[in-house]
PDB file of all heavy atoms in Angstrom:
ATOM      1  N   TYR A  35      10.436 -10.765 -10.822  1.00 94.00           N
ATOM      2  CA  TYR A  35      10.972  -9.404 -10.907  1.00 94.00           C
ATOM      3  C   TYR A  35      10.650  -8.796 -12.333  1.00 94.00           C
ATOM      4  O   TYR A  35      10.873  -9.499 -13.312  1.00 94.00           O
ATOM      5  CB  TYR A  35      12.488  -9.342 -10.661  1.00 94.00           C
ATOM      6  CG  TYR A  35      12.807  -9.461  -9.147  1.00 94.00           C
ATOM      7  CD1 TYR A  35      13.399 -10.576  -8.617  1.00 94.00           C
ATOM      8  CD2 TYR A  35      12.545  -8.346  -8.374  1.00 94.00           C
ATOM      9  CE1 TYR A  35      13.681 -10.677  -7.253  1.00 94.00           C
ATOM     10  CE2 TYR A  35      12.853  -8.390  -7.015  1.00 94.00           C
ATOM     11  CZ  TYR A  35      13.416  -9.447  -6.509  1.00 94.00           C
ATOM     12  OH  TYR A  35      13.691  -9.562  -5.135  1.00 94.00           O
ATOM     13  N   VAL A  36      10.232  -7.601 -12.287  1.00 97.00           N
ATOM     14  CA  VAL A  36       9.895  -6.873 -13.505  1.00 97.00           C
ATOM     15  C   VAL A  36      10.670  -5.610 -13.677  1.00 97.00           C
ATOM     16  O   VAL A  36      10.719  -4.872 -12.719  1.00 97.00           O
ATOM     17  CB  VAL A  36       8.336  -6.542 -13.615  1.00 97.00           C
ATOM     18  CG1 VAL A  36       8.019  -5.706 -14.870  1.00 97.00           C
ATOM     19  CG2 VAL A  36       7.558  -7.827 -13.552  1.00 97.00           C
ATOM     20  N   LYS A  37      11.407  -5.405 -14.783  1.00 96.00           N
ATOM     21  CA  LYS A  37      12.223  -4.225 -14.941  1.00 96.00           C
ATOM     22  C   LYS A  37      11.349  -2.940 -15.013  1.00 96.00           C
ATOM     23  O   LYS A  37      10.262  -3.026 -15.607  1.00 96.00           O
ATOM     24  CB  LYS A  37      13.185  -4.313 -16.001  1.00 96.00           C
ATOM     25  CG  LYS A  37      12.624  -4.348 -17.409  1.00 96.00           C
ATOM     26  CD  LYS A  37      13.734  -4.538 -18.469  1.00 96.00           C
ATOM     27  CE  LYS A  37      13.230  -4.513 -19.866  1.00 96.00           C
ATOM     28  NZ  LYS A  37      14.279  -4.646 -20.885  1.00 96.00           N
ATOM     29  N   CYS A  38      11.878  -1.845 -14.553  1.00 96.00           N
ATOM     30  CA  CYS A  38      11.120  -0.578 -14.624  1.00 96.00           C
ATOM     31  C   CYS A  38      11.695   0.338 -15.754  1.00 96.00           C
ATOM     32  O   CYS A  38      12.883   0.608 -15.734  1.00 96.00           O
ATOM     33  CB  CYS A  38      11.238   0.171 -13.274  1.00 96.00           C
ATOM     34  SG  CYS A  38      10.424  -0.747 -11.923  1.00 96.00           S
ATOM     35  N   ILE A  39      10.827   0.685 -16.718  1.00 96.00           N
ATOM     36  CA  ILE A  39      11.167   1.670 -17.714  1.00 96.00           C
ATOM     37  C   ILE A  39      10.032   2.656 -17.685  1.00 96.00           C
ATOM     38  O   ILE A  39       9.188   2.595 -18.532  1.00 96.00           O
ATOM     39  CB  ILE A  39      11.372   0.995 -19.059  1.00 96.00           C
ATOM     40  CG1 ILE A  39      12.400  -0.137 -19.012  1.00 96.00           C
ATOM     41  CG2 ILE A  39      11.856   2.047 -20.069  1.00 96.00           C
ATOM     42  CD1 ILE A  39      12.533  -0.838 -20.396  1.00 96.00           C
ATOM     43  N   PRO A  40      10.106   3.657 -16.833  1.00 95.00           N
ATOM     44  CA  PRO A  40       8.956   4.608 -16.652  1.00 95.00           C
ATOM     45  C   PRO A  40       8.794   5.515 -17.852  1.00 95.00           C
ATOM     46  O   PRO A  40       9.808   5.923 -18.451  1.00 95.00           O
ATOM     47  CB  PRO A  40       9.323   5.352 -15.378  1.00 95.00           C
ATOM     48  CG  PRO A  40      10.848   5.281 -15.290  1.00 95.00           C
ATOM     49  CD  PRO A  40      11.271   3.950 -15.824  1.00 95.00           C
ATOM     50  N   GLU A  41       7.581   5.769 -18.169  1.00 93.00           N
ATOM     51  CA  GLU A  41       7.247   6.730 -19.215  1.00 93.00           C
ATOM     52  C   GLU A  41       7.623   8.151 -18.703  1.00 93.00           C
ATOM     53  O   GLU A  41       7.153   8.519 -17.623  1.00 93.00           O
ATOM     54  CB  GLU A  41       5.778   6.700 -19.578  1.00 93.00           C
ATOM     55  CG  GLU A  41       5.286   5.368 -20.189  1.00 93.00           C
ATOM     56  CD  GLU A  41       5.709   5.163 -21.595  1.00 93.00           C
ATOM     57  OE1 GLU A  41       5.098   5.748 -22.491  1.00 93.00           O
ATOM     58  OE2 GLU A  41       6.701   4.420 -21.910  1.00 93.00           O
ATOM     59  N   ILE A  42       8.345   8.950 -19.478  1.00 87.00           N
ATOM     60  CA  ILE A  42       8.904  10.156 -18.940  1.00 87.00           C
ATOM     61  C   ILE A  42       7.810  11.213 -18.518  1.00 87.00           C
ATOM     62  O   ILE A  42       7.999  11.859 -17.507  1.00 87.00           O
ATOM     63  CB  ILE A  42       9.841  10.745 -19.977  1.00 87.00           C
ATOM     64  CG1 ILE A  42      11.032   9.935 -20.255  1.00 87.00           C
ATOM     65  CG2 ILE A  42      10.285  12.147 -19.567  1.00 87.00           C
ATOM     66  CD1 ILE A  42      11.921  10.374 -21.363  1.00 87.00           C
ATOM     67  N   ASP A  43       6.769  11.241 -19.374  1.00 84.00           N
ATOM     68  CA  ASP A  43       5.758  12.326 -19.042  1.00 84.00           C
ATOM     69  C   ASP A  43       4.570  11.741 -18.298  1.00 84.00           C
ATOM     70  O   ASP A  43       3.537  12.504 -18.148  1.00 84.00           O
ATOM     71  CB  ASP A  43       5.244  12.883 -20.422  1.00 84.00           C
ATOM     72  CG  ASP A  43       6.331  13.531 -21.147  1.00 84.00           C
ATOM     73  OD1 ASP A  43       7.250  14.209 -20.518  1.00 84.00           O
ATOM     74  OD2 ASP A  43       6.329  13.536 -22.425  1.00 84.00           O
ATOM     75  N   ALA A  44       4.759  10.676 -17.666  1.00 85.00           N
ATOM     76  CA  ALA A  44       3.512   9.987 -17.034  1.00 85.00           C
ATOM     77  C   ALA A  44       3.312  10.645 -15.633  1.00 85.00           C
ATOM     78  O   ALA A  44       4.238  11.233 -15.001  1.00 85.00           O
ATOM     79  CB  ALA A  44       3.827   8.536 -16.757  1.00 85.00           C
ATOM     80  N   GLU A  45       2.073  10.620 -15.183  1.00 84.00           N
ATOM     81  CA  GLU A  45       1.719  11.053 -13.862  1.00 84.00           C
ATOM     82  C   GLU A  45       2.258  10.090 -12.889  1.00 84.00           C
ATOM     83  O   GLU A  45       2.375   8.884 -13.163  1.00 84.00           O
ATOM     84  CB  GLU A  45       0.219  11.157 -13.685  1.00 84.00           C
ATOM     85  CG  GLU A  45      -0.414  12.309 -14.560  1.00 84.00           C
ATOM     86  CD  GLU A  45      -0.090  13.668 -14.050  1.00 84.00           C
ATOM     87  OE1 GLU A  45       0.172  13.894 -12.883  1.00 84.00           O
ATOM     88  OE2 GLU A  45      -0.105  14.598 -14.917  1.00 84.00           O
ATOM     89  N   LEU A  46       2.645  10.528 -11.641  1.00 82.00           N
ATOM     90  CA  LEU A  46       3.131   9.595 -10.635  1.00 82.00           C
ATOM     91  C   LEU A  46       2.060   8.559 -10.271  1.00 82.00           C
ATOM     92  O   LEU A  46       0.934   8.880 -10.140  1.00 82.00           O
ATOM     93  CB  LEU A  46       3.591  10.294  -9.374  1.00 82.00           C
ATOM     94  CG  LEU A  46       4.894  11.140  -9.393  1.00 82.00           C
ATOM     95  CD1 LEU A  46       4.999  11.919  -8.110  1.00 82.00           C
ATOM     96  CD2 LEU A  46       6.036  10.126  -9.653  1.00 82.00           C
ATOM     97  N   ASP A  47       2.516   7.276 -10.196  1.00 79.00           N
ATOM     98  CA  ASP A  47       1.595   6.207  -9.725  1.00 79.00           C
ATOM     99  C   ASP A  47       0.289   6.129 -10.411  1.00 79.00           C
ATOM    100  O   ASP A  47      -0.769   5.881  -9.792  1.00 79.00           O
ATOM    101  CB  ASP A  47       1.480   6.330  -8.176  1.00 79.00           C
ATOM    102  CG  ASP A  47       2.727   6.324  -7.447  1.00 79.00           C
ATOM    103  OD1 ASP A  47       3.579   5.385  -7.751  1.00 79.00           O
ATOM    104  OD2 ASP A  47       2.938   7.087  -6.565  1.00 79.00           O
ATOM    105  N   ASP A  48       0.313   6.367 -11.775  1.00 87.00           N
ATOM    106  CA  ASP A  48      -0.959   6.329 -12.514  1.00 87.00           C
ATOM    107  C   ASP A  48      -0.910   5.201 -13.533  1.00 87.00           C
ATOM    108  O   ASP A  48      -1.038   5.422 -14.751  1.00 87.00           O
ATOM    109  CB  ASP A  48      -1.103   7.689 -13.200  1.00 87.00           C
ATOM    110  CG  ASP A  48      -2.550   7.967 -13.586  1.00 87.00           C
ATOM    111  OD1 ASP A  48      -3.536   7.307 -13.076  1.00 87.00           O
ATOM    112  OD2 ASP A  48      -2.784   8.841 -14.545  1.00 87.00           O
ATOM    113  N   CYS A  49      -0.766   3.962 -13.009  1.00 94.00           N
ATOM    114  CA  CYS A  49      -0.428   2.869 -13.845  1.00 94.00           C
ATOM    115  C   CYS A  49      -1.561   2.397 -14.868  1.00 94.00           C
ATOM    116  O   CYS A  49      -1.291   2.076 -15.985  1.00 94.00           O
ATOM    117  CB  CYS A  49       0.002   1.675 -13.078  1.00 94.00           C
ATOM    118  SG  CYS A  49      -1.271   0.997 -11.880  1.00 94.00           S
ATOM    119  N   PHE A  50      -2.860   2.463 -14.362  1.00 95.00           N
ATOM    120  CA  PHE A  50      -3.881   1.805 -15.200  1.00 95.00           C
ATOM    121  C   PHE A  50      -4.114   2.560 -16.517  1.00 95.00           C
ATOM    122  O   PHE A  50      -4.125   1.995 -17.569  1.00 95.00           O
ATOM    123  CB  PHE A  50      -5.103   1.698 -14.378  1.00 95.00           C
ATOM    124  CG  PHE A  50      -4.916   0.852 -13.145  1.00 95.00           C
ATOM    125  CD1 PHE A  50      -4.786   1.525 -11.873  1.00 95.00           C
ATOM    126  CD2 PHE A  50      -4.727  -0.486 -13.165  1.00 95.00           C
ATOM    127  CE1 PHE A  50      -4.644   0.794 -10.736  1.00 95.00           C
ATOM    128  CE2 PHE A  50      -4.528  -1.265 -12.032  1.00 95.00           C
ATOM    129  CZ  PHE A  50      -4.476  -0.629 -10.791  1.00 95.00           C
ATOM    130  N   PRO A  51      -4.374   3.833 -16.489  1.00 94.00           N
ATOM    131  CA  PRO A  51      -4.566   4.596 -17.801  1.00 94.00           C
ATOM    132  C   PRO A  51      -3.272   4.671 -18.580  1.00 94.00           C
ATOM    133  O   PRO A  51      -3.328   4.662 -19.758  1.00 94.00           O
ATOM    134  CB  PRO A  51      -5.048   6.017 -17.344  1.00 94.00           C
ATOM    135  CG  PRO A  51      -4.640   6.103 -15.924  1.00 94.00           C
ATOM    136  CD  PRO A  51      -4.708   4.826 -15.352  1.00 94.00           C
ATOM    137  N   LEU A  52      -2.212   4.633 -17.845  1.00 95.00           N
ATOM    138  CA  LEU A  52      -0.886   4.743 -18.552  1.00 95.00           C
ATOM    139  C   LEU A  52      -0.633   3.516 -19.440  1.00 95.00           C
ATOM    140  O   LEU A  52      -0.248   3.556 -20.690  1.00 95.00           O
ATOM    141  CB  LEU A  52       0.252   4.881 -17.517  1.00 95.00           C
ATOM    142  CG  LEU A  52       1.657   4.956 -18.062  1.00 95.00           C
ATOM    143  CD1 LEU A  52       1.801   6.177 -19.009  1.00 95.00           C
ATOM    144  CD2 LEU A  52       2.671   4.950 -16.932  1.00 95.00           C
ATOM    145  N   VAL A  53      -0.918   2.295 -18.867  1.00 97.00           N
ATOM    146  CA  VAL A  53      -0.722   1.042 -19.602  1.00 97.00           C
ATOM    147  C   VAL A  53      -1.723   0.951 -20.762  1.00 97.00           C
ATOM    148  O   VAL A  53      -1.368   0.505 -21.871  1.00 97.00           O
ATOM    149  CB  VAL A  53      -0.816  -0.149 -18.747  1.00 97.00           C
ATOM    150  CG1 VAL A  53      -0.700  -1.474 -19.529  1.00 97.00           C
ATOM    151  CG2 VAL A  53       0.270  -0.148 -17.661  1.00 97.00           C
ATOM    152  N   GLU A  54      -2.900   1.353 -20.497  1.00 96.00           N
ATOM    153  CA  GLU A  54      -3.941   1.352 -21.584  1.00 96.00           C
ATOM    154  C   GLU A  54      -3.567   2.252 -22.788  1.00 96.00           C
ATOM    155  O   GLU A  54      -3.729   1.895 -23.941  1.00 96.00           O
ATOM    156  CB  GLU A  54      -5.359   1.830 -21.071  1.00 96.00           C
ATOM    157  CG  GLU A  54      -5.950   0.839 -20.048  1.00 96.00           C
ATOM    158  CD  GLU A  54      -6.498  -0.408 -20.704  1.00 96.00           C
ATOM    159  OE1 GLU A  54      -6.349  -0.607 -21.983  1.00 96.00           O
ATOM    160  OE2 GLU A  54      -7.111  -1.249 -20.013  1.00 96.00           O
ATOM    161  N   SER A  55      -2.988   3.372 -22.462  1.00 95.00           N
ATOM    162  CA  SER A  55      -2.494   4.332 -23.480  1.00 95.00           C
ATOM    163  C   SER A  55      -1.319   3.738 -24.257  1.00 95.00           C
ATOM    164  O   SER A  55      -1.261   3.835 -25.477  1.00 95.00           O
ATOM    165  CB  SER A  55      -2.109   5.595 -22.834  1.00 95.00           C
ATOM    166  OG  SER A  55      -1.589   6.559 -23.768  1.00 95.00           O
ATOM    167  N   LYS A  56      -0.464   3.079 -23.578  1.00 96.00           N
ATOM    168  CA  LYS A  56       0.630   2.351 -24.144  1.00 96.00           C
ATOM    169  C   LYS A  56       0.194   1.347 -25.114  1.00 96.00           C
ATOM    170  O   LYS A  56       0.789   1.165 -26.248  1.00 96.00           O
ATOM    171  CB  LYS A  56       1.618   1.787 -23.111  1.00 96.00           C
ATOM    172  CG  LYS A  56       2.878   1.188 -23.603  1.00 96.00           C
ATOM    173  CD  LYS A  56       3.907   2.331 -23.851  1.00 96.00           C
ATOM    174  CE  LYS A  56       5.270   1.717 -24.122  1.00 96.00           C
ATOM    175  NZ  LYS A  56       6.259   2.721 -24.382  1.00 96.00           N
ATOM    176  N   ILE A  57      -0.802   0.506 -24.756  1.00 97.00           N
ATOM    177  CA  ILE A  57      -1.322  -0.507 -25.625  1.00 97.00           C
ATOM    178  C   ILE A  57      -1.888   0.048 -26.851  1.00 97.00           C
ATOM    179  O   ILE A  57      -1.714  -0.535 -28.012  1.00 97.00           O
ATOM    180  CB  ILE A  57      -2.293  -1.335 -24.858  1.00 97.00           C
ATOM    181  CG1 ILE A  57      -1.684  -2.148 -23.700  1.00 97.00           C
ATOM    182  CG2 ILE A  57      -3.072  -2.319 -25.839  1.00 97.00           C
ATOM    183  CD1 ILE A  57      -2.600  -2.744 -22.741  1.00 97.00           C
ATOM    184  N   LYS A  58      -2.576   1.182 -26.783  1.00 97.00           N
ATOM    185  CA  LYS A  58      -3.160   1.753 -27.999  1.00 97.00           C
ATOM    186  C   LYS A  58      -2.039   2.231 -28.955  1.00 97.00           C
ATOM    187  O   LYS A  58      -2.284   2.148 -30.182  1.00 97.00           O
ATOM    188  CB  LYS A  58      -3.993   2.973 -27.573  1.00 97.00           C
ATOM    189  CG  LYS A  58      -5.313   2.669 -26.906  1.00 97.00           C
ATOM    190  CD  LYS A  58      -6.095   3.855 -26.477  1.00 97.00           C
ATOM    191  CE  LYS A  58      -7.360   3.478 -25.699  1.00 97.00           C
ATOM    192  NZ  LYS A  58      -8.116   4.642 -25.292  1.00 97.00           N
ATOM    193  N   ARG A  59      -0.967   2.636 -28.448  1.00 96.00           N
ATOM    194  CA  ARG A  59       0.216   3.102 -29.276  1.00 96.00           C
ATOM    195  C   ARG A  59       1.054   2.045 -29.857  1.00 96.00           C
ATOM    196  O   ARG A  59       1.523   2.023 -30.880  1.00 96.00           O
ATOM    197  CB  ARG A  59       1.038   4.141 -28.607  1.00 96.00           C
ATOM    198  CG  ARG A  59       0.276   5.387 -28.107  1.00 96.00           C
ATOM    199  CD  ARG A  59       1.248   6.439 -27.680  1.00 96.00           C
ATOM    200  NE  ARG A  59       2.363   6.042 -26.844  1.00 96.00           N
ATOM    201  CZ  ARG A  59       2.323   5.868 -25.477  1.00 96.00           C
ATOM    202  NH1 ARG A  59       1.196   6.244 -24.876  1.00 96.00           N
ATOM    203  NH2 ARG A  59       3.401   5.478 -24.864  1.00 96.00           N
ATOM    204  N   MET A  60       1.331   0.978 -28.950  1.00 96.00           N
ATOM    205  CA  MET A  60       2.375   0.039 -29.183  1.00 96.00           C
ATOM    206  C   MET A  60       1.852  -1.423 -29.168  1.00 96.00           C
ATOM    207  O   MET A  60       2.656  -2.350 -29.535  1.00 96.00           O
ATOM    208  CB  MET A  60       3.449   0.155 -28.104  1.00 96.00           C
ATOM    209  CG  MET A  60       4.115   1.508 -27.928  1.00 96.00           C
ATOM    210  SD  MET A  60       5.196   1.950 -29.358  1.00 96.00           S
ATOM    211  CE  MET A  60       6.504   0.775 -29.113  1.00 96.00           C
ATOM    212  N   GLY A  61       0.640  -1.628 -28.917  1.00 98.00           N
ATOM    213  CA  GLY A  61       0.109  -2.976 -28.836  1.00 98.00           C
ATOM    214  C   GLY A  61       0.544  -3.656 -27.528  1.00 98.00           C
ATOM    215  O   GLY A  61       0.936  -2.986 -26.593  1.00 98.00           O
ATOM    216  N   GLY A  62       0.273  -4.930 -27.394  1.00 98.00           N
ATOM    217  CA  GLY A  62       0.558  -5.606 -26.190  1.00 98.00           C
ATOM    218  C   GLY A  62      -0.640  -5.847 -25.324  1.00 98.00           C
ATOM    219  O   GLY A  62      -1.855  -5.678 -25.808  1.00 98.00           O
TER     220      GLY A  62
END
Side-chain angles (χ1 to χ4, degrees):
Y35 280 109
V36 175
K37 69 179 179 181
C38 298
I39 307 178
E41 298 283 284
I42 297 174
D43 297 327
E45 297 288 334
L46 284 175
D47 302 316
D48 198 20
C49 60
F50 303 105
L52 181 63
V53 175
E54 292 287 2
S55 176
K56 187 78 169 181
I57 292 169
K58 289 178 181 178
R59 300 193 316 272
M60 304 289 293

